[in-house]
Amino acid sequence: MNTSKQVNIMIGTVLVSIMMFGGYMAYESTRQVHAREEITQRIAERGARLFVSNCRTCHGLEGEGHVGPALNRPGFRILGEHDASGAEPTPPGEADAIHSFLFTTLACGRTNTVMPLWGQRFGGSLSDTQLNQLVTLISEGRWDLVKKIGAEHDKEVGATAKDILVQDVGALSLTEKNCGQFNADNAAELRNRDPYAAKPAAGATAAAAPASGATAAAPAAGGAAAAGKTLATAQGCAACHSAGGSNGVGPTWKGVFGKQEALVDGSTVTVDEAYLKESILAPNVKVTKGFAPGLMPQNFREKLTDDQVTQLIEYIKTLK
Ligand code: HEC
Ligand code: HEC
C-alpha cells in the first residue's frame, strides 16, 4: 500500500465517523424533544383528570366557561420552541408570570367570588404537584384531553351535561379573603394577550411597540429606559407591575422612584437605585408591605444581565 492510498483510507474513515456522529446528534436532539413532549403530555393528562372531577362544574365541559370564565383562551397559553402555529416561543419571564397567575389563582381562589381555594397549604384539597398539573393543562391548552377523558368518565357513570354543570349559582358559597392577589381586573391583561402575535419576522416590531411612558428620560438614559420598557414586557414584569397605577398584584412602578416605602418589618426605605437593584436580584430580602412575598420571581439574578437590570431601573425611574 502506498502512502497516498493510506491517506485516502484515513480521510475516508474520518469522514464516515463525522457523518455517523452528526447523524447520532440529530437523532439525539429529536429524541430529547420527543421525551420532553411525552413528559408534558403525561402531566397534562393528570391535569385533565383533575379538571374533569373538580372544575367542569363551573368552567364548562371543555374549559369554555359556564358560571366561571373561559379558561381555553390563547392568553393563558405558554408556547414552546416548536409551536405548530410557527409563533415565537413565549419569553421565559412572561411564561413565569402566566404560571404564577394560574398557580396563585388556583391555590388561593378568588376572594368574594365562587372560585374556591384549592391549595392544601391554605386549607384546600389539592397538592402543589396537582396544582402544577392543572397549570400545565391550561398553559398547554390541552382541552382535547379534557374532552376525551371527560366523555369516558361521563359514559362510565352515566352523567349528562346537566348533571355536571352547576345549575344553582345561588347555592355556591363565596371564597373568603385569603392568600389571593389576583382579581378579574388585574387578570384582564393576561386574558387578552395574544401569544401568536409574535411571529419570528414580526417579533421585533411587536416588542418595540409599547404603549406610553418613557418619554421624560434625559437623552443619554433615554435609550436604556426604552430598552427597559421593552424588557419589562418581554420578561413579564409588566403583567404584575403596572406602570400607570396599582393593579393589585405587585407594587405599581408609577412614581415609586424617590418615594418612602413601608416594609413588612415596620421599617421604611427610600426607593433608590440600590433598593430597586436589590428588589430585582434578591427579592424578599425586605418585601414591600401589602403584597404577597412569594410572588416576585426569584430567578431574575440568573436571567438578566447587569445591563438589563440597569435598563429596567432606568425605565422605572422615568415613570413619574
Ligand atoms: C364553584 C365554581 C368554580 C369551580 C368549581 C372552579 N372555579 Fe375557577 N373560577 C370560578 C369563577 C367564578 C372565577 C372568576 C372569578 C373572578 O371573577 O375573578 C374563576 C376563575 C378561575 C381562573 C382565573 C381565570 C380568569 O380569567 O381570571 C382560573 C385559572 C380557574 N378559575 C381555574 C379553575 C380550576 C383549574 C378549577 C378546578 C380545580 C376551578 N377553577 C374550579 C368558579 C369556579
Ligand atoms: C408574578 C408577579 C411578578 C412578576 C412577574 C415580577 N414581579 Fe416584581 N414584585 C412582585 C411582588 C408581589 C412584589 C412585592 C413583594 C416583594 O417585594 O416580594 C414585587 C416587588 C418588586 C420590586 C420592589 C418594588 C417596590 O415598590 O418596593 C421591584 C423593583 C420589582 N418587583 C421589579 C420587578 C422586575 C424588574 C420584574 C421583571 C424583570 C418583576 N418585578 C417581575 C411581583 C412580580
Side-chain angles (χ1 to χ4, degrees), residues 50-51 54-59 67-71 73 76 101-102 105-106 110-111 113-116 118 126 131 134-135 137-138 166 172-173 182-185 187-188 191:
L50 289 168
F51 194 91
N54 296 293
C55 321
R56 290 190 305 167
T57 47
C58 293
H59 289 285
V67 304
L71 300 180
R73 302 172 191 277
F76 296 158
F101 165 79
L102 292 173
T105 300
L106 289 180
R110 289 268 171 87
T111 307
T113 76
V114 297
M115 171 65 184
W118 295 96
L126 301 178
L131 295 178
L134 283 159
V135 170
L137 168 80
I138 299 169
V166 165
L172 300 170
S173 54
F182 288 95
N183 57 45
D185 290 336
R191 282 181 186 169

Side-chain angles (χ1 to χ4, degrees), residues 41-296:
Q41 162 96 9
R42 244 178 289 145
I43 297 172
E45 243 167 56
R46 299 217 173 105
R49 274 177 218 291
L50 289 168
F51 194 91
V52 164
S53 39
N54 296 293
C55 321
R56 290 190 305 167
T57 47
C58 293
H59 289 285
L61 297 183
E62 296 171 40
E64 75 281 17
H66 177 51
V67 304
L71 300 180
N72 59 354
R73 302 172 191 277
F76 296 158
R77 290 276 285 107
I78 297 174
L79 304 184
E81 285 291 327
H82 306 286
D83 194 77
S85 69
E88 289 271 273
T90 307
E94 207 174 331
D96 282 352
I98 296 166
H99 189 280
S100 304
F101 165 79
L102 292 173
F103 190 93
T104 310
T105 300
L106 289 180
C108 305
R110 289 268 171 87
T111 307
N112 289 329
T113 76
V114 297
M115 171 65 184
L117 170 161
W118 295 96
Q120 260 165 13
R121 258 196 281 168
F122 308 110
S125 59
L126 301 178
S127 67
D128 283 4
T129 308
Q130 291 174 311
L131 295 178
N132 275 317
Q133 290 163 351
L134 283 159
V135 170
T136 299
L137 168 80
I138 299 169
S139 59
E140 291 287 317
R142 293 304 306 271
W143 302 103
D144 59 315
L145 293 173
V146 171
K147 186 177 180 185
K148 179 170 149 269
I149 292 168
E152 285 162 13
H153 171 273
D154 298 345
K155 204 171 150 203
E156 212 172 288
V157 302
T160 65
K162 196 160 179 291
D163 305 326
I164 298 157
L165 300 174
V166 165
Q167 304 297 323
D168 180 10
V169 186
L172 300 170
S173 54
L174 296 183
T175 297
E176 286 172 22
K177 185 155 178 52
N178 57 55
C179 53
Q181 297 287 315
F182 288 95
N183 57 45
D185 290 336
N186 57 40
E189 185 160 352
L190 285 179
R191 282 181 186 169
N192 299 329
R193 73 182 256 287
D194 179 7
Y196 303 109
K199 300 265 188 226
T205 17
S212 69
T215 43
K229 184 172 191 179
T230 307
L231 265 177
T233 305
Q235 291 288 332
C237 325
C240 294
H241 293 281
S242 155
S246 185
N247 66 4
V249 185
T252 180
W253 282 350
K254 184 180 162 73
V256 80
F257 190 73
K259 215 180 86 183
Q260 290 275 320
E261 213 168 57
L263 303 179
V264 275
D265 64 3
S267 64
T268 53
V269 68
T270 305
V271 179
D272 56 11
E273 289 180 3
Y275 172 79
L276 288 175
K277 188 168 177 185
E278 183 179 311
S279 301
I280 298 168
L281 296 179
N284 301 341
V285 179
K286 289 172 182 151
V287 177
T288 329
K289 200 168 169 192
F291 294 95
L295 218 50
M296 172 69 192

